[in-house]
Each structure stands twice: as C-alpha cells, then as structure tokens.
Amino acid sequence: MKLGLVGAGQIGGVIALLAAMERFEEIALFDVVEGLAEGKALDINHASKILGSSSIIVGGSSPEILSGSDIVVVTAGVARKPGMSRDDLLKINANIVADVAKHLKSYCKNAKVIVVTNPLDSMTWFLIKKTGFEPQRVIGMAGILDSSRFAFHLAEKLNIAPACVTATVLGGHGDDMVPIEATATVEGIPITYFLNDDTINQIKERVRFSGGEIVNFLKTGSAFFSPAASVLVMVRAISNNERRLVTASCYLRGEYALSDLCFGVPCILGKNGVEKIVEIELTENQKNLLEKSAQRVRELNQILKDNL
Ligand code: TXD
C-alpha cells in the first residue's frame, strides 16, 4: 500500500508521521516548495528506529513521486489567517486543486482520494470535476474532525473521557455546519440525559466556530494535529476495508434531497471509498439548517463553475 501526500505543510507532515507510526508500507510526500517534502521525509526517517517504524518514506518537489499511490491525501493549498473565513480561500485553492488534479490523472489515476483543502466541500466537488474520477473514490475530510470536536467539548463539560462520547456533525464544513445533539450519546445514553438544552446549545456554537478559535490562537495558520488524526481514520478505513461509518463530504446524487454537490453526511468507508451513503431521518429544523448550509456550498460551487 502506498500513501501519497500532496502538500507537505502542517497537516501533510503530521499525516506522514502518524502513518509512519502505524507502519504504513510506503509514504510519498510531495510539495511545490523545494526541499520541504524531502526535509520532512528525512526527519521522519530519522525517527523510524525510535518509533519502530518500517515505513518507506520519500519526499520530493516533483509529482512523479506520487506514482502508483493507492490512497492520496490532498492538503495542498493555503490555510486561513485570523479574520479569514474558509470561503475566502476559494479562488486561490481552486487553482492549486486544478493543478493537483492534473498530477493525479498522470501519476495515480486509480487512487482513492481524500481531500482536506478548504473550502472543503467545494474543493472536493471541484477535484471530482477536474479529474473525472468516480465520485465514490473522492471524499472530503471534515465530519470526523467536527464530530470529534463536538465529542470533546461534551466530554469536557461532563468531565469524562472523550472516547465515551459519540456525537455527529453534518453538513458543509463552514460556520453553518450542523451539530446533531439528538444522536449524541455517552456510551449509548442520550446526551440530553446529562446536559440541559442551554448547555448543549453553547457547546454546539463553540463547535461551529472552533476551527476559527484555533486560527485566532495560532495567527499564522489553522488546526493541524486533529485534522491529520481525522485523515488517518479515513486512510485506515479504506486501506483495511473496514466498512466504517463516518461522516465525510460525499458527492450526492439525490440523497438528503441534494444533487451534484459534496456535503457532510454519514457514509460507510471501505476499499472502494464511499461504499454507501447512509440516510438518517431528520427533523424539520435539522433539514432547514442543512439546506442553509447546502445553499452556501452551492454558491461557492457556482463561482467555480466558471473555471471548469
Ligand atoms: O477539516 C478540514 N478539512 C480542514 C482543512 C481542517 C484544517 C485545515 N484545513 C485546510 O487544509 C486548510 O484551510 C488548508 O487549505 C489545508 C492545508 O492546511 P495546512 O495547515 O497543512 O496548510 P499549510 O501548512 O500551508 O500546507 C499547505 C501546503 C504548503 O506546504 C504548500 O507549499 C503546499 O500545500 N502547496 C502545494 N503542494 C503541492 N502542489 C501544489 N500546487 C501546492 N500549492 C501549495
């Protein structure tokens, strides 16, 4: 199994380290910045004895290095600075993703592709259009991260381990993402048994803006440890054919009454990428919130349609 990483910045670098710690067979880092991918690959190689890793890790600034990758993770792009929304990155990152699409078609045309670059749902959709790859194998990572943030803040409030909490965030990876408290549980016990509505609403609000909270702390970029850890969940699910249920940005063809856009929904991930999109029953209020979020994604896609 070969994992190709397009972008060796903050997230790409941490994904490479985590994948090496899990002894992923072969890891190739590619970045347009001369020396960056080589340097990070060598640095991780130097840690392989200490980490007990047997991974073969290479880095380079030429896209040929991605040749034959089974799974590719795209983090190439610009990250947010304070005051910027994810949507502000649209045009800059679309040009980068268009470039990446050419490399994928040339060097790894059968790979499963996990997109991380923001604005996430539009970049995933744009990559599908630019590569012509089957939508089933081009998937955006955001829901695992947003759901993990929701679980963490619920657990923090309850003073229990985050691993006990299951909580889902649906919709676009923007400020109008939709945390769903109705399905949140602590080891199967509804969260509403432990917390009142006001507290849950405060936590939902914090989750929706928690990416921005980190940007404001860091000032020079956005979150990278938790996005990288979330990507690893998807890489594992695909490479081990786990058929794992996660929330991810999937290309929709009528599911949730939405078509021709990528949007955060529950899905089953396995060796072919998205094995199944899972439709859950939603309340009228949840449907309205998701429609608002979808409308924002559609508006961004519309801007990109001029570049197709
Ligand atoms: O949940 C999510 N999906 C996200 C997404 C959570 C956090 C951050 N998210 C987005 O991921 C963020 O808004 C960015 O658009 C991407 C990557 O974030 P990262 O923090 O890793 O950004 P960096 O450190 O700036 O790294 C990006 C690298 C950088 O080294 C550039 O030189 C490189 O991308 N780059 C390219 N590599 C290859 N090919 C091309 N064309 C290219 N252009 C830039």
Side-chain angles (χ1 to χ4, degrees):
M1 268 277 170
K2 177 168 174 177
L3 176 64
L5 302 174
V6 183
Q10 298 280 52
I11 300 179
V14 180
I15 294 171
L17 175 67
L18 294 176
M21 290 172 78
E22 294 194 10
R23 299 177 196 174
F24 208 91
E25 206 177 330
E26 217 181 324
I27 303 162
L29 276 160
F30 160 62
D31 200 290
V32 283
V33 173
E34 198 93 8
L36 183 65
E38 288 93 328
K40 290 200 178 179
L42 184 59
D43 193 13
I44 298 171
N45 276 325
H46 286 167
S48 47
K49 174 176 169 47
I50 303 160
L51 300 173
S53 173
S54 50
S55 300
I56 296 164
I57 308 156
V58 291
S61 51
S62 159
E64 285 96 336
I65 203 160
L66 301 167
S67 291
S69 296
D70 301 286
I71 303 175
V72 173
V73 183
V74 179
T75 63
V78 170
R80 282 196 284 170
K81 306 267 175 346
M84 286 175 96
S85 77
R86 294 176 180 91
D87 301 354
D88 292 334
L89 303 172
L90 184 76
K91 285 198 172 159
I92 312 168
N93 285 351
N95 286 331
I96 293 173
V97 166
D99 221 39
V100 172
K102 285 187 205 142
H103 301 325
L104 300 185
K105 285 199 284 185
S106 304
Y107 301 111
C108 38
K109 60 180 184 346
N110 297 315
K112 317 293 172 300
V113 184
I114 300 170
V115 181
V116 180
T117 306
N118 268 328
L120 191 269
D121 305 279
S122 295
M123 291 302 108
T124 308
W125 177 84
F126 195 56
L127 194 77
I128 291 171
K129 300 289 172 189
K130 283 289 179 187
T131 54
F133 289 178
E134 302 89 330
Q136 178 188 15
R137 61 182 172 101
V138 182
I139 315 145
M141 186 293 293
I144 296 175
L145 170 62
D146 297 328
S147 300
S148 178
R149 285 173 170 161
F150 193 16
F152 172 77
H153 286 298
L154 291 169
E156 184 187 38
K157 192 56 145 186
L158 293 168
N159 194 22
I160 54 168
C164 308
V165 180
T166 304
T168 306
V169 177
L170 300 179
H173 181 58
D175 294 342
D176 41 22
M177 63 181 76
V178 187
I180 307 279
E181 72 272 30
T183 54
T185 70
V186 181
E187 296 294 357
I189 305 167
I191 201 76
T192 45
Y193 184 87
F194 301 95
L195 298 173
N196 63 31
D197 284 355
D198 280 352
T199 309
I200 293 173
N201 285 336
Q202 277 165 21
I203 293 171
K204 282 165 65 180
E205 196 63 6
R206 179 152 186 204
V207 168
R208 285 175 46 232
F209 294 99
S210 54
E213 200 180 335
I214 293 176
V215 172
N216 288 336
F217 278 125
L218 297 181
K219 300 194 175 63
T220 53
S222 49
F224 52 98
F225 292 123
S226 55
S230 305
V231 166
L232 256 289
V233 173
M234 297 175 74
V235 169
R236 260 185 247 125
I238 296 168
S239 62
N240 301 335
N241 192 22
E242 287 175 2
R243 297 190 62 84
R244 190 185 180 104
L245 191 131
V246 300
T247 306
S249 189
C250 301
Y251 184 82
L252 300 181
R253 295 178 168 110
E255 297 89 351
Y256 291 92
L258 299 168
S259 279
D260 191 30
L261 82 166
C262 291
F263 201 56
V265 294
C267 63
I268 295 171
L269 287 190
K271 64 178 189 309
N272 302 305
V274 177
E275 305 285 351
K276 185 179 179 358
I277 291 171
V278 176
E279 292 195 74
I280 57 169
E281 193 132 342
L282 297 168
T283 63
E284 277 314 303
N285 183 40
Q286 288 163 347
K287 280 185 200 159
N288 292 338
L289 292 171
L290 281 177
E291 176 47 37
K292 187 174 160 231
S293 172
Q295 186 49 33
R296 187 69 201 128
V297 176
R298 271 191 220 105
E299 282 163 19
L300 295 185
N301 291 355
Q302 190 55 45
I303 299 170
L304 292 177
K305 275 185 180 158
D306 302 337
N307 295 339
L308 284 180

